[in-house]
């Protein structure tokens, strides 16, 4: 086995772990009652100055991006990480301005840094690569 296999496997496992945490964020934002993080997100979002329905928007973005992080294509990982980076920038600002609990003021910027690193790792060589369809190998039919 190549010595380069283990770092790739560890990185893949880290992607899955981070994606799982954001998928849990998706689930808890849709959960109607209190979560293991405290009061219901419908209450938290109102306390932070947002309408309670906005938790569905944030939760959906987290869920979709969690899926994008585990698709084995760089462009999907880049899009997921970049989108989460933007969401986490807003979350970090919200937690600082609102004077949220310490764990929230630490978790959001920590995840933001992780998403920045993921985006750098998957940075496209050419921006047009994000829009190009992948070429399917041509199959020739010979009679």
């Amino acid at each position: 086995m190549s010595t380069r296999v283990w770092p790739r496997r560890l990185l893949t496992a880290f992607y899955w772990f981070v994606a799982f945490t954001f998928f849990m964020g998706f689930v808890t934002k849709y959960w109607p009652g209190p979560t293991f993080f405290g009061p219901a997100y419908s209450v938290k979002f109102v306390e932070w100055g947002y309408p309670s329905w906005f938790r569905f928007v944030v939760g959906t973005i987290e869920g979709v991006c969690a899926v994008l992080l585990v698709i084995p294509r760089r462009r999907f990982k880049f899009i997921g990480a970049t989108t989460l980076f933007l969401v986490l920038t807003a979350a970090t600002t919200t937690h600082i301005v609102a004077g949220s609990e310490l764990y929230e003021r630490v978790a959001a910027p920590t995840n933001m840094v992780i998403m920045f690193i993921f985006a750098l790792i998957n940075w496209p060589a050419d921006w047009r690569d994000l829009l190009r369809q992948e070429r399917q190998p041509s199959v020739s039919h010979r009679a």
Side-chain angles (χ1 to χ4, degrees):
M1 193 180 305
S2 170
T3 58
R4 300 184 79 188
V5 170
W6 284 107
R8 280 194 313 248
R9 286 184 180 171
L10 286 174
L11 184 60
T12 299
F14 190 55
Y15 273 108
W16 277 91
F17 173 75
V18 171
F20 175 76
T21 64
F22 280 101
F23 190 79
M24 290 306 297
F26 158 73
V27 170
T28 57
K29 299 234 177 15
Y30 274 78
W31 190 257
T35 67
F36 40 83
F37 297 116
Y41 273 98
S42 58
V43 173
K44 286 184 174 186
F45 271 75
V46 170
E47 288 175 357
W48 295 328
Y50 301 104
S52 66
W53 59 262
F54 195 62
R55 75 187 195 275
F56 297 122
V57 174
V58 174
T60 300
I61 292 169
E62 288 180 352
V64 168
C65 289
V67 171
L68 290 174
L69 288 176
V70 296
I71 295 175
R73 295 279 184 263
R74 289 181 65 162
R75 88 168 95 181
F76 294 121
K77 291 179 188 298
F78 176 77
I79 292 168
T82 304
T83 304
L84 282 172
F85 176 80
L86 295 173
V87 168
L88 289 163
T89 301
T92 300
T93 305
T94 297
H95 292 308
I96 291 170
V97 170
S100 298
E101 297 289 330
L102 179 63
Y103 76 90
E104 292 173 319
R105 287 182 286 152
V106 171
T110 301
N111 281 308
M112 188 173 70
V113 169
I114 291 169
M115 289 306 111
F116 183 73
I117 292 168
F118 281 0
L120 286 178
I121 290 171
N122 294 288
W123 196 275
D126 183 351
W127 286 101
R128 292 173 291 190
D129 291 343
L130 293 174
L131 304 174
R132 286 189 186 122
Q133 286 187 344
E134 293 192 29
R135 301 187 92 203
Q136 300 295 326
S138 60
V139 178
S140 62
H141 297 341
R142 294 187 184 198

